[in-house]
Structure formats: structure tokens, C-alpha cells
Amino acid sequence: MINQVRYLILKEIKLEWKQKYAFQGLLLYVVSTVFVCYLSFRQIIDLPTWNALFWIIQVFAGVNAVAKSFMQESRGRMLYYYTLTNSRSLILAKTIYSLLLMLVLSAFNLFFYSLFIGNPVQDFPLFIIAVVLGSSGFASVLSMVSAIASKAGNNATLMSILSFPILIPLLMTTIRFSKNAMDGLAWSVSWQYMIILTALNALVFALSYLLFPYLWRD
Amino acid sequence: MSNKLSVAGLSWWKWICIILLFYTVIQGILIPVPRLPILHETIRNLFFHVTMWFAMIILMMSSLVYAIRYLRNNDLDLDLKSEQCAYTGIFLGILGLITGSIWAKNTWGAWWVNDAKLNGAAATMLVYLAYLILRGSLDDEHKRARLSAVYSIFAFTLMLVFIMILPRLTDSLHPGNGGNPGFSSYDLDNRMRTVFYPAVIGWTLLAVWLTEIRVRMKRYKYQHES
């Protein structure tokens, strides 16, 4: 199974490399969103606003990036996977790949956001932890929702309305957590958020692992 | 539901529902209540708002249970029940939002405040509305049933976490949190309990009744179509 997951992830990366324009499109999406925000806000002095805007860009970039993880698969190719692999390896591979994608996008977002709008974060390592934990939660929720939405006729609106409400718990916890990091509070204050985020990630992951087999047979 | 024991055409539990709801409305307005700061007489909303949320959670839970059972048995009737429970749950949720808003206007002075519990409730409603849209966008019955069952299990579990855990992390204006006098066990005096529990049962039975009617209606419609 580990082998299957590894091959599936490698396949995703190769596929992405072959269609570079899609990936470049995502990066451009992040950069232009940040630029639009920069032009509308100019400079953000209020810390909570900085934080909230950063995460909103993350959410939109994430939805756009991960939406295609199942939507790009044609019916025929899904059938091909069906004969070759186990459904659980497929969702594992897709989630891990989405996680990698989200991390790259977050790095891009953070870089350009700091460049244009400024970076008032005081405890940078803790903020990075918040970004990693938050992004991994987004990646697993969005992969699962993408699988549902792709079965329901590849509708982009559906992807957003299905995922936004279930992202709220993750988003609220991450925003509070990263706000602590911005204020440079002691790590002991943020422990509970770290634990909750990890637990939420584990829960989402376990749910998609259990439920995905029901989704994929046609 | 077998209706073996029926009185004047209505089965026994429907009579219980009617009696309990009359009792709730009359007693809920008449009994003396403890005078707590901020809440005063508005504490009577306990018999309506809180009990409707309880009934909503019970209905959503049954929707979840039917969804899980559908995934195990592939019986479309279970899917129909799951859907209708969700519908009734949404209806109760809307009633809960309205009663909560009126109450909030009178005690906090605003129809809506930024509060973990309120936001949790709103997010839950969004999830179930999205669930309905998902159902609407699929034509194939089995596919619709399967996808929506998976989505509702996935979403409802996360929402439970949201409603149960997150409000405990932050201070909340909602009664029972952050030092506000609340409806929690220590200030719910025994006289209020005599209305509260019957009200929960009454609203839940009413919800089951509504769901049953809708399920029967839909079944009839499907039979007629095919």
C-alpha cells in the first residue's frame, strides 16, 4: 500500500510537471490576489485584519488549487485507477499531494504578502507552524470535498459552498493560533491550539479514509 | 412506525406530542421563574429556543444515523428518511435562530452578536443548506444518496466538534458561558425542569411527526411516478 501511495504521488507530481501552465496559473492567482489586496488596502496597520486577509487568500487559493485534484480526472482514468489500486491509497496519495501543493502555495502567499503588504509577525517559527497545520487541514478537507464535487458534475460553485462551512472550524482555530504567533505570545499559550489543530487534522483524515471507498465506486 | 395504539385516528405518541406542547406553552408562560440578573423574564425562552435546538440536534443525529445505515445497506428508503430528517432539522434550526434573535434583541440589544455559539449554529445551517444544494444537483438516485450521505457524515462530525469544543475555548456571551447566568444545571431550578424536559420531548415528537408526514408523501410520490 505504501508503494501504491508513493507511485500515485509521483504520478501526480509528474503530471503537474507536464502541465506546468496549471501550476503556474495557481501561483499567478496567488500573486495577483495579493496584488489586488495590496492596491485596495495599501497598508494594513491593524493586526487582526492582516491575519484575516492572509487566511482568506489562503482559503481561496486552496479551494482553487485542490479543486482540480479530482476534477481533472476523467471517468476513464478513474476506472483505470479502480482496476489498479486500492481506494484508500488513492485518497491518501491525493491528500498528501494536496498538502504539498498547499505548502508551496502558502510559501508563495507568505512571501508576496510580506513583500507587498508588510510582515508584522513577531514569532515567525510559530507562525510557520500555524501555516503548516492550517494548510494540512485545508488540504485534507478540500481533497475530500473535491472528490464529492467531482462526482456531482464538476461544479466549481458546489466545491465552494460544500467546503466553506466545513472549513470554518479549522479556519477559526488557525486564525486565533496565528494571531498569537503575530503577537509574539509565549508558546505555552498556543499549545492548546496546536493540539486542537492536530486533532482536527487527524479527525478529517480519519473521516476521509473511512468514507472515500463509498464515494468512488460508481 | 406502526400505529397500533391509536385514539380517534391519531396514534398514541401524537396525542402525547399535542398534550406536551400545550403544556409547554401554557406552563411556560405561567409558572414562576427565578429572577436572575440580565435574564429576568426572558429566561422563559429556555422552554422554546433551547428545546428547539435540542430537537434540531436530535433530528440531525437521526439524519446522520440514517445516512450511515444507507451506506451499509444501500436502501433508498433510508436515504429518504435521512433527507427528510435533515429538512425538519433545518426547519427547527430556523425557528431556533428566530427565537434566539428575538431573545438576543431584548437582552443584549442586538439581533446578532459575534459569538462562538451563534456562529457555530449559523455554520451548521450553511452546511445543511449546502447539503440540499448537493442533493439538488444530482439526478441519479443512488449516486445522490451516496454522495449526500458521505457529505453529511463528513460535515456533521466536523460541526459537532465546532459546536461542542470551540465555544469552550473562548469567552461567550451566551448564557452558561463566561460568567453569564445561564440555563446550565446549577441555575436551572427544579420547577423549570418540569417544563423543560416535557418541552424537549414535545418538540422532538412534533419534528418526528412532520418528518413522518413528509416521508409518507414522498414515498407516495415515488410510487406514483414509477
Side-chain angles (χ1 to χ4, degrees), chain B residues 16-45:
Chain B
I16 292 180
C17 168
I18 294 170
I19 293 164
L20 284 180
L21 287 181
F22 267 106
Y23 173 79
T24 303
V25 173
I26 296 167
Q27 278 294 86
I29 291 169
L30 290 183
I31 62 160
V33 289
R35 308 210 152 260
L36 297 172
I38 311 174
L39 294 175
H40 301 295
E41 286 287 331
T42 66
I43 199 170
R44 290 181 196 281
N45 202 19

PDB file of all heavy atoms in Angstrom, chain B residues 16-45:
ATOM      1  N   ILE B  16     -49.576  12.369  22.754  1.00  0.00           N
ATOM      2  CA  ILE B  16     -48.608  12.827  23.762  1.00  0.00           C
ATOM      3  C   ILE B  16     -47.955  14.125  23.309  1.00  0.00           C
ATOM      4  O   ILE B  16     -47.793  15.076  24.083  1.00  0.00           O
ATOM      5  CB  ILE B  16     -47.523  11.750  24.010  1.00  0.00           C
ATOM      6  CG1 ILE B  16     -48.167  10.546  24.686  1.00  0.00           C
ATOM      7  CG2 ILE B  16     -46.388  12.288  24.862  1.00  0.00           C
ATOM      8  CD1 ILE B  16     -47.215   9.426  24.986  1.00  0.00           C
ATOM      9  N   CYS B  17     -47.618  14.166  22.025  1.00  0.00           N
ATOM     10  CA  CYS B  17     -46.999  15.378  21.465  1.00  0.00           C
ATOM     11  C   CYS B  17     -47.898  16.593  21.662  1.00  0.00           C
ATOM     12  O   CYS B  17     -47.461  17.645  22.147  1.00  0.00           O
ATOM     13  CB  CYS B  17     -46.709  15.142  19.991  1.00  0.00           C
ATOM     14  SG  CYS B  17     -46.266  16.605  19.090  1.00  0.00           S
ATOM     15  N   ILE B  18     -49.192  16.428  21.299  1.00  0.00           N
ATOM     16  CA  ILE B  18     -50.128  17.550  21.416  1.00  0.00           C
ATOM     17  C   ILE B  18     -50.237  18.009  22.865  1.00  0.00           C
ATOM     18  O   ILE B  18     -50.139  19.208  23.178  1.00  0.00           O
ATOM     19  CB  ILE B  18     -51.514  17.145  20.868  1.00  0.00           C
ATOM     20  CG1 ILE B  18     -51.415  16.886  19.361  1.00  0.00           C
ATOM     21  CG2 ILE B  18     -52.549  18.223  21.167  1.00  0.00           C
ATOM     22  CD1 ILE B  18     -52.657  16.258  18.766  1.00  0.00           C
ATOM     23  N   ILE B  19     -50.406  17.027  23.770  1.00  0.00           N
ATOM     24  CA  ILE B  19     -50.576  17.368  25.184  1.00  0.00           C
ATOM     25  C   ILE B  19     -49.330  18.065  25.719  1.00  0.00           C
ATOM     26  O   ILE B  19     -49.400  19.115  26.368  1.00  0.00           O
ATOM     27  CB  ILE B  19     -50.871  16.092  26.005  1.00  0.00           C
ATOM     28  CG1 ILE B  19     -52.243  15.530  25.608  1.00  0.00           C
ATOM     29  CG2 ILE B  19     -50.832  16.383  27.501  1.00  0.00           C
ATOM     30  CD1 ILE B  19     -52.471  14.103  26.046  1.00  0.00           C
ATOM     31  N   LEU B  20     -48.163  17.505  25.388  1.00  0.00           N
ATOM     32  CA  LEU B  20     -46.922  18.088  25.901  1.00  0.00           C
ATOM     33  C   LEU B  20     -46.723  19.514  25.386  1.00  0.00           C
ATOM     34  O   LEU B  20     -46.273  20.393  26.127  1.00  0.00           O
ATOM     35  CB  LEU B  20     -45.720  17.236  25.500  1.00  0.00           C
ATOM     36  CG  LEU B  20     -45.531  15.946  26.280  1.00  0.00           C
ATOM     37  CD1 LEU B  20     -44.310  15.197  25.786  1.00  0.00           C
ATOM     38  CD2 LEU B  20     -45.388  16.233  27.765  1.00  0.00           C
ATOM     39  N   LEU B  21     -47.078  19.751  24.113  1.00  0.00           N
ATOM     40  CA  LEU B  21     -46.845  21.098  23.584  1.00  0.00           C
ATOM     41  C   LEU B  21     -47.812  22.112  24.177  1.00  0.00           C
ATOM     42  O   LEU B  21     -47.416  23.238  24.476  1.00  0.00           O
ATOM     43  CB  LEU B  21     -46.901  21.097  22.054  1.00  0.00           C
ATOM     44  CG  LEU B  21     -45.674  20.454  21.416  1.00  0.00           C
ATOM     45  CD1 LEU B  21     -45.752  20.505  19.912  1.00  0.00           C
ATOM     46  CD2 LEU B  21     -44.387  21.128  21.877  1.00  0.00           C
ATOM     47  N   PHE B  22     -49.061  21.701  24.373  1.00  0.00           N
ATOM     48  CA  PHE B  22     -49.996  22.596  25.061  1.00  0.00           C
ATOM     49  C   PHE B  22     -49.485  22.913  26.461  1.00  0.00           C
ATOM     50  O   PHE B  22     -49.477  24.065  26.898  1.00  0.00           O
ATOM     51  CB  PHE B  22     -51.398  21.969  25.144  1.00  0.00           C
ATOM     52  CG  PHE B  22     -52.271  22.396  23.999  1.00  0.00           C
ATOM     53  CD1 PHE B  22     -52.575  21.518  22.960  1.00  0.00           C
ATOM     54  CD2 PHE B  22     -52.776  23.689  23.945  1.00  0.00           C
ATOM     55  CE1 PHE B  22     -53.351  21.920  21.900  1.00  0.00           C
ATOM     56  CE2 PHE B  22     -53.564  24.095  22.883  1.00  0.00           C
ATOM     57  CZ  PHE B  22     -53.862  23.209  21.865  1.00  0.00           C
ATOM     58  N   TYR B  23     -49.034  21.853  27.144  1.00  0.00           N
ATOM     59  CA  TYR B  23     -48.483  22.002  28.486  1.00  0.00           C
ATOM     60  C   TYR B  23     -47.303  22.975  28.468  1.00  0.00           C
ATOM     61  O   TYR B  23     -47.202  23.878  29.290  1.00  0.00           O
ATOM     62  CB  TYR B  23     -48.072  20.625  28.995  1.00  0.00           C
ATOM     63  CG  TYR B  23     -47.339  20.626  30.296  1.00  0.00           C
ATOM     64  CD1 TYR B  23     -48.017  20.770  31.501  1.00  0.00           C
ATOM     65  CD2 TYR B  23     -45.955  20.465  30.328  1.00  0.00           C
ATOM     66  CE1 TYR B  23     -47.335  20.750  32.705  1.00  0.00           C
ATOM     67  CE2 TYR B  23     -45.268  20.448  31.520  1.00  0.00           C
ATOM     68  CZ  TYR B  23     -45.962  20.597  32.708  1.00  0.00           C
ATOM     69  OH  TYR B  23     -45.286  20.588  33.883  1.00  0.00           O
ATOM     70  N   THR B  24     -46.418  22.780  27.475  1.00  0.00           N
ATOM     71  CA  THR B  24     -45.229  23.641  27.374  1.00  0.00           C
ATOM     72  C   THR B  24     -45.613  25.105  27.224  1.00  0.00           C
ATOM     73  O   THR B  24     -45.111  25.975  27.939  1.00  0.00           O
ATOM     74  CB  THR B  24     -44.391  23.255  26.143  1.00  0.00           C
ATOM     75  OG1 THR B  24     -44.056  21.890  26.238  1.00  0.00           O
ATOM     76  CG2 THR B  24     -43.137  24.080  26.054  1.00  0.00           C
ATOM     77  N   VAL B  25     -46.530  25.371  26.283  1.00  0.00           N
ATOM     78  CA  VAL B  25     -46.860  26.769  26.012  1.00  0.00           C
ATOM     79  C   VAL B  25     -47.553  27.392  27.219  1.00  0.00           C
ATOM     80  O   VAL B  25     -47.201  28.498  27.657  1.00  0.00           O
ATOM     81  CB  VAL B  25     -47.736  26.865  24.738  1.00  0.00           C
ATOM     82  CG1 VAL B  25     -48.227  28.286  24.545  1.00  0.00           C
ATOM     83  CG2 VAL B  25     -46.939  26.417  23.536  1.00  0.00           C
ATOM     84  N   ILE B  26     -48.524  26.671  27.809  1.00  0.00           N
ATOM     85  CA  ILE B  26     -49.287  27.254  28.917  1.00  0.00           C
ATOM     86  C   ILE B  26     -48.416  27.381  30.165  1.00  0.00           C
ATOM     87  O   ILE B  26     -48.283  28.469  30.741  1.00  0.00           O
ATOM     88  CB  ILE B  26     -50.549  26.410  29.193  1.00  0.00           C
ATOM     89  CG1 ILE B  26     -51.468  26.466  27.969  1.00  0.00           C
ATOM     90  CG2 ILE B  26     -51.276  26.940  30.424  1.00  0.00           C
ATOM     91  CD1 ILE B  26     -52.573  25.457  27.988  1.00  0.00           C
ATOM     92  N   GLN B  27     -47.776  26.278  30.553  1.00  0.00           N
ATOM     93  CA  GLN B  27     -46.945  26.324  31.751  1.00  0.00           C
ATOM     94  C   GLN B  27     -45.748  27.242  31.549  1.00  0.00           C
ATOM     95  O   GLN B  27     -45.340  27.950  32.450  1.00  0.00           O
ATOM     96  CB  GLN B  27     -46.429  24.913  32.099  1.00  0.00           C
ATOM     97  CG  GLN B  27     -47.401  24.064  32.863  1.00  0.00           C
ATOM     98  CD  GLN B  27     -47.670  24.631  34.243  1.00  0.00           C
ATOM     99  OE1 GLN B  27     -48.532  25.489  34.398  1.00  0.00           O
ATOM    100  NE2 GLN B  27     -46.945  24.149  35.238  1.00  0.00           N
ATOM    101  N   GLY B  28     -45.193  27.202  30.343  1.00  0.00           N
ATOM    102  CA  GLY B  28     -44.008  28.007  30.070  1.00  0.00           C
ATOM    103  C   GLY B  28     -44.259  29.481  30.286  1.00  0.00           C
ATOM    104  O   GLY B  28     -43.362  30.226  30.672  1.00  0.00           O
ATOM    105  N   ILE B  29     -45.502  29.905  30.056  1.00  0.00           N
ATOM    106  CA  ILE B  29     -45.794  31.318  30.260  1.00  0.00           C
ATOM    107  C   ILE B  29     -46.251  31.582  31.694  1.00  0.00           C
ATOM    108  O   ILE B  29     -45.999  32.642  32.255  1.00  0.00           O
ATOM    109  CB  ILE B  29     -46.834  31.784  29.213  1.00  0.00           C
ATOM    110  CG1 ILE B  29     -46.155  31.785  27.842  1.00  0.00           C
ATOM    111  CG2 ILE B  29     -47.371  33.162  29.522  1.00  0.00           C
ATOM    112  CD1 ILE B  29     -47.062  31.968  26.679  1.00  0.00           C
ATOM    113  N   LEU B  30     -46.872  30.583  32.318  1.00  0.00           N
ATOM    114  CA  LEU B  30     -47.477  30.827  33.634  1.00  0.00           C
ATOM    115  C   LEU B  30     -46.572  30.572  34.842  1.00  0.00           C
ATOM    116  O   LEU B  30     -46.698  31.275  35.842  1.00  0.00           O
ATOM    117  CB  LEU B  30     -48.749  29.989  33.780  1.00  0.00           C
ATOM    118  CG  LEU B  30     -49.920  30.431  32.896  1.00  0.00           C
ATOM    119  CD1 LEU B  30     -51.136  29.577  33.186  1.00  0.00           C
ATOM    120  CD2 LEU B  30     -50.239  31.896  33.112  1.00  0.00           C
ATOM    121  N   ILE B  31     -45.689  29.550  34.786  1.00  0.00           N
ATOM    122  CA  ILE B  31     -45.017  29.226  36.045  1.00  0.00           C
ATOM    123  C   ILE B  31     -44.078  30.340  36.497  1.00  0.00           C
ATOM    124  O   ILE B  31     -43.518  31.065  35.670  1.00  0.00           O
ATOM    125  CB  ILE B  31     -44.204  27.902  35.977  1.00  0.00           C
ATOM    126  CG1 ILE B  31     -43.081  28.003  34.934  1.00  0.00           C
ATOM    127  CG2 ILE B  31     -45.069  26.697  35.773  1.00  0.00           C
ATOM    128  CD1 ILE B  31     -41.998  26.984  35.169  1.00  0.00           C
ATOM    129  N   PRO B  32     -43.915  30.463  37.818  1.00  0.00           N
ATOM    130  CA  PRO B  32     -42.949  31.448  38.320  1.00  0.00           C
ATOM    131  C   PRO B  32     -41.526  31.009  37.996  1.00  0.00           C
ATOM    132  O   PRO B  32     -41.224  29.822  38.050  1.00  0.00           O
ATOM    133  CB  PRO B  32     -43.194  31.453  39.825  1.00  0.00           C
ATOM    134  CG  PRO B  32     -43.955  30.224  40.134  1.00  0.00           C
ATOM    135  CD  PRO B  32     -44.613  29.747  38.891  1.00  0.00           C
ATOM    136  N   VAL B  33     -40.682  31.966  37.599  1.00  0.00           N
ATOM    137  CA  VAL B  33     -39.304  31.620  37.278  1.00  0.00           C
ATOM    138  C   VAL B  33     -38.361  32.379  38.190  1.00  0.00           C
ATOM    139  O   VAL B  33     -38.724  33.427  38.714  1.00  0.00           O
ATOM    140  CB  VAL B  33     -38.977  31.977  35.803  1.00  0.00           C
ATOM    141  CG1 VAL B  33     -39.681  31.039  34.853  1.00  0.00           C
ATOM    142  CG2 VAL B  33     -39.313  33.423  35.498  1.00  0.00           C
ATOM    143  N   PRO B  34     -37.170  31.848  38.408  1.00  0.00           N
ATOM    144  CA  PRO B  34     -36.200  32.564  39.256  1.00  0.00           C
ATOM    145  C   PRO B  34     -35.797  33.874  38.604  1.00  0.00           C
ATOM    146  O   PRO B  34     -35.667  33.947  37.377  1.00  0.00           O
ATOM    147  CB  PRO B  34     -35.019  31.603  39.331  1.00  0.00           C
ATOM    148  CG  PRO B  34     -35.179  30.670  38.187  1.00  0.00           C
ATOM    149  CD  PRO B  34     -36.634  30.564  37.926  1.00  0.00           C
ATOM    150  N   ARG B  35     -35.618  34.917  39.393  1.00  0.00           N
ATOM    151  CA  ARG B  35     -35.233  36.207  38.823  1.00  0.00           C
ATOM    152  C   ARG B  35     -33.724  36.312  38.818  1.00  0.00           C
ATOM    153  O   ARG B  35     -33.100  36.528  39.838  1.00  0.00           O
ATOM    154  CB  ARG B  35     -35.826  37.354  39.646  1.00  0.00           C
ATOM    155  CG  ARG B  35     -37.285  37.205  39.835  1.00  0.00           C
ATOM    156  CD  ARG B  35     -37.999  38.538  39.972  1.00  0.00           C
ATOM    157  NE  ARG B  35     -39.353  38.340  39.490  1.00  0.00           N
ATOM    158  CZ  ARG B  35     -39.743  38.705  38.289  1.00  0.00           C
ATOM    159  NH1 ARG B  35     -38.908  39.315  37.487  1.00  0.00           N
ATOM    160  NH2 ARG B  35     -40.969  38.477  37.899  1.00  0.00           N
ATOM    161  N   LEU B  36     -33.134  36.163  37.651  1.00  0.00           N
ATOM    162  CA  LEU B  36     -31.685  36.263  37.535  1.00  0.00           C
ATOM    163  C   LEU B  36     -31.357  37.598  36.900  1.00  0.00           C
ATOM    164  O   LEU B  36     -32.136  38.107  36.098  1.00  0.00           O
ATOM    165  CB  LEU B  36     -31.148  35.131  36.658  1.00  0.00           C
ATOM    166  CG  LEU B  36     -31.375  33.719  37.213  1.00  0.00           C
ATOM    167  CD1 LEU B  36     -30.987  32.684  36.181  1.00  0.00           C
ATOM    168  CD2 LEU B  36     -30.572  33.513  38.480  1.00  0.00           C
ATOM    169  N   PRO B  37     -30.198  38.166  37.248  1.00  0.00           N
ATOM    170  CA  PRO B  37     -29.808  39.417  36.599  1.00  0.00           C
ATOM    171  C   PRO B  37     -29.687  39.216  35.094  1.00  0.00           C
ATOM    172  O   PRO B  37     -29.398  38.102  34.646  1.00  0.00           O
ATOM    173  CB  PRO B  37     -28.442  39.718  37.222  1.00  0.00           C
ATOM    174  CG  PRO B  37     -27.990  38.423  37.805  1.00  0.00           C
ATOM    175  CD  PRO B  37     -29.215  37.706  38.210  1.00  0.00           C
ATOM    176  N   ILE B  38     -29.890  40.292  34.342  1.00  0.00           N
ATOM    177  CA  ILE B  38     -29.875  40.302  32.869  1.00  0.00           C
ATOM    178  C   ILE B  38     -31.040  39.524  32.263  1.00  0.00           C
ATOM    179  O   ILE B  38     -31.778  40.045  31.436  1.00  0.00           O
ATOM    180  CB  ILE B  38     -28.575  39.741  32.245  1.00  0.00           C
ATOM    181  CG1 ILE B  38     -27.342  40.358  32.891  1.00  0.00           C
ATOM    182  CG2 ILE B  38     -28.549  40.021  30.741  1.00  0.00           C
ATOM    183  CD1 ILE B  38     -26.048  39.723  32.417  1.00  0.00           C
ATOM    184  N   LEU B  39     -31.247  38.280  32.726  1.00  0.00           N
ATOM    185  CA  LEU B  39     -32.234  37.442  32.042  1.00  0.00           C
ATOM    186  C   LEU B  39     -33.674  37.830  32.387  1.00  0.00           C
ATOM    187  O   LEU B  39     -34.515  37.980  31.508  1.00  0.00           O
ATOM    188  CB  LEU B  39     -32.020  35.979  32.399  1.00  0.00           C
ATOM    189  CG  LEU B  39     -30.720  35.359  31.901  1.00  0.00           C
ATOM    190  CD1 LEU B  39     -30.574  33.961  32.418  1.00  0.00           C
ATOM    191  CD2 LEU B  39     -30.680  35.371  30.386  1.00  0.00           C
ATOM    192  N   HIS B  40     -33.941  37.973  33.678  1.00  0.00           N
ATOM    193  CA  HIS B  40     -35.310  38.217  34.158  1.00  0.00           C
ATOM    194  C   HIS B  40     -36.318  37.263  33.524  1.00  0.00           C
ATOM    195  O   HIS B  40     -36.077  36.080  33.452  1.00  0.00           O
ATOM    196  CB  HIS B  40     -35.709  39.689  33.927  1.00  0.00           C
ATOM    197  CG  HIS B  40     -34.789  40.634  34.614  1.00  0.00           C
ATOM    198  ND1 HIS B  40     -34.662  40.700  35.980  1.00  0.00           N
ATOM    199  CD2 HIS B  40     -33.910  41.541  34.118  1.00  0.00           C
ATOM    200  CE1 HIS B  40     -33.760  41.593  36.306  1.00  0.00           C
ATOM    201  NE2 HIS B  40     -33.279  42.115  35.194  1.00  0.00           N
ATOM    202  N   GLU B  41     -37.408  37.869  33.006  1.00  0.00           N
ATOM    203  CA  GLU B  41     -38.479  37.013  32.478  1.00  0.00           C
ATOM    204  C   GLU B  41     -38.073  36.305  31.175  1.00  0.00           C
ATOM    205  O   GLU B  41     -38.687  35.336  30.775  1.00  0.00           O
ATOM    206  CB  GLU B  41     -39.744  37.845  32.227  1.00  0.00           C
ATOM    207  CG  GLU B  41     -40.484  38.248  33.497  1.00  0.00           C
ATOM    208  CD  GLU B  41     -41.213  37.085  34.150  1.00  0.00           C
ATOM    209  OE1 GLU B  41     -41.620  36.171  33.415  1.00  0.00           O
ATOM    210  OE2 GLU B  41     -41.333  37.086  35.385  1.00  0.00           O
ATOM    211  N   THR B  42     -37.043  36.846  30.506  1.00  0.00           N
ATOM    212  CA  THR B  42     -36.691  36.237  29.213  1.00  0.00           C
ATOM    213  C   THR B  42     -36.179  34.810  29.384  1.00  0.00           C
ATOM    214  O   THR B  42     -36.006  34.099  28.404  1.00  0.00           O
ATOM    215  CB  THR B  42     -35.607  37.037  28.474  1.00  0.00           C
ATOM    216  OG1 THR B  42     -34.405  36.960  29.218  1.00  0.00           O
ATOM    217  CG2 THR B  42     -36.007  38.462  28.251  1.00  0.00           C
ATOM    218  N   ILE B  43     -35.940  34.419  30.639  1.00  0.00           N
ATOM    219  CA  ILE B  43     -35.476  33.055  30.864  1.00  0.00           C
ATOM    220  C   ILE B  43     -36.501  32.049  30.350  1.00  0.00           C
ATOM    221  O   ILE B  43     -36.182  30.897  30.077  1.00  0.00           O
ATOM    222  CB  ILE B  43     -35.157  32.819  32.360  1.00  0.00           C
ATOM    223  CG1 ILE B  43     -34.249  31.602  32.511  1.00  0.00           C
ATOM    224  CG2 ILE B  43     -36.419  32.643  33.176  1.00  0.00           C
ATOM    225  CD1 ILE B  43     -33.693  31.431  33.878  1.00  0.00           C
ATOM    226  N   ARG B  44     -37.735  32.508  30.178  1.00  0.00           N
ATOM    227  CA  ARG B  44     -38.770  31.597  29.667  1.00  0.00           C
ATOM    228  C   ARG B  44     -38.452  31.104  28.252  1.00  0.00           C
ATOM    229  O   ARG B  44     -39.008  30.123  27.796  1.00  0.00           O
ATOM    230  CB  ARG B  44     -40.129  32.301  29.651  1.00  0.00           C
ATOM    231  CG  ARG B  44     -40.682  32.544  31.036  1.00  0.00           C
ATOM    232  CD  ARG B  44     -42.035  33.211  30.949  1.00  0.00           C
ATOM    233  NE  ARG B  44     -42.387  33.789  32.234  1.00  0.00           N
ATOM    234  CZ  ARG B  44     -42.861  33.080  33.243  1.00  0.00           C
ATOM    235  NH1 ARG B  44     -43.055  31.804  33.098  1.00  0.00           N
ATOM    236  NH2 ARG B  44     -43.140  33.649  34.389  1.00  0.00           N
ATOM    237  N   ASN B  45     -37.570  31.814  27.592  1.00  0.00           N
ATOM    238  CA  ASN B  45     -37.185  31.380  26.248  1.00  0.00           C
ATOM    239  C   ASN B  45     -36.521  30.004  26.288  1.00  0.00           C
ATOM    240  O   ASN B  45     -36.462  29.303  25.287  1.00  0.00           O
ATOM    241  CB  ASN B  45     -36.216  32.401  25.638  1.00  0.00           C
ATOM    242  CG  ASN B  45     -36.204  32.332  24.128  1.00  0.00           C
ATOM    243  OD1 ASN B  45     -37.133  31.798  23.531  1.00  0.00           O
ATOM    244  ND2 ASN B  45     -35.162  32.838  23.523  1.00  0.00           N
TER     245      ASN B  45
END
